[in-house]
Amino acid sequence: MNTSLHKSINEENIALLVRRFYTEVIKDPLLAPFFIQILGEDIHNEKWEEHLILLTEFWKFVALGYDEYKGNPLRPHLDISGINRGTFSVWITLFHHTVDTIYTPSAGEFFKQKSTDIATNFIRKLDL
Ligand code: HEM
């Protein structure tokens, strides 16, 4: 079931979205350190590959209703010290920018809305 109602959103472009986004994340001076300290500097290493697969499953669940994702989205963020509203704001700006490089405005709006809603939820639950 395609819960996004956008036929242009599919597994292939979600995989591209995730890879392109984290390729930008590790170049971002503010965001990179949070990821590098857990996953390392090389996006091609095993830990990064697991993260990219997990995040691809996550967005396939959100956008397409696929059920491979079995994680807990909030969990790892509870242990990251130093994140604040500003960090989330940079994350959101970069994610939305990446979305714009792949999707038409109407399909992109789906990812922008979802990511903003989830980030807002994280900020509330993390008490930031
Ligand atoms: C300040 C912003 C953020 C930072 C620094 C951050 C960082 C991280 C890190 C370090 C991990 C753990 C990687 C690992 O151990 O494999 C992670 C996992 C994850 N992140 Fe974020 N993240 C941020 C925002 C978001 C947002 C806004 C979303 C969703 C829209 C998101 C979705 C996820 C998901 C789904 C996971 C995997 C959870 C699981 O274990 O199942 N993150 N993130």
Side-chain angles (χ1 to χ4, degrees):
M1 182 182 55
N2 188 335
T3 53
S4 70
L5 304 175
H6 282 286
K7 291 197 177 68
S8 63
I9 300 176
N10 60 38
E11 287 189 54
E12 287 71 32
N13 54 46
I14 288 174
L16 177 64
L17 170 66
V18 169
R19 278 170 199 274
R20 194 172 281 180
F21 174 60
Y22 289 101
T23 301
E24 293 304 315
V25 161
I26 54 164
K27 288 191 254 168
D28 183 89
L30 190 85
L31 296 176
F34 294 105
F35 291 87
I36 288 172
Q37 73 177 14
I38 295 176
L39 302 171
E41 284 184 0
D42 178 8
I43 200 162
H44 301 295
N45 75 23
E46 207 173 310
K47 282 186 182 173
W48 264 107
E49 193 51 39
E50 275 174 30
H51 178 70
L52 297 176
I53 291 169
L54 188 64
L55 268 290
T56 303
E57 302 302 353
F58 171 73
W59 284 109
K60 277 159 56 180
F61 164 69
V62 172
L64 304 173
Y66 285 24
D67 64 0
E68 285 101 338
Y69 178 72
K70 305 282 184 224
N72 175 341
L74 180 67
R75 182 61 263 218
H77 307 94
L78 297 168
D79 302 325
I80 304 173
S81 61
I83 44 171
N84 54 43
R85 285 173 181 239
T87 329
F88 273 98
S89 166
V90 173
W91 190 106
I92 282 292
T93 302
L94 195 56
F95 190 76
H96 290 197
H97 171 76
T98 311
V99 164
D100 284 337
T101 69
I102 297 174
Y103 295 102
T104 59
S106 70
E109 196 48 45
F110 173 82
F111 286 102
K112 292 181 186 180
Q113 189 63 55
K114 282 288 177 189
S115 57
T116 303
D117 289 351
I118 296 165
T120 305
N121 195 34
F122 282 6
I123 287 168
R124 189 167 45 80
K125 290 191 171 148
L126 295 168
D127 210 9
L128 301 176

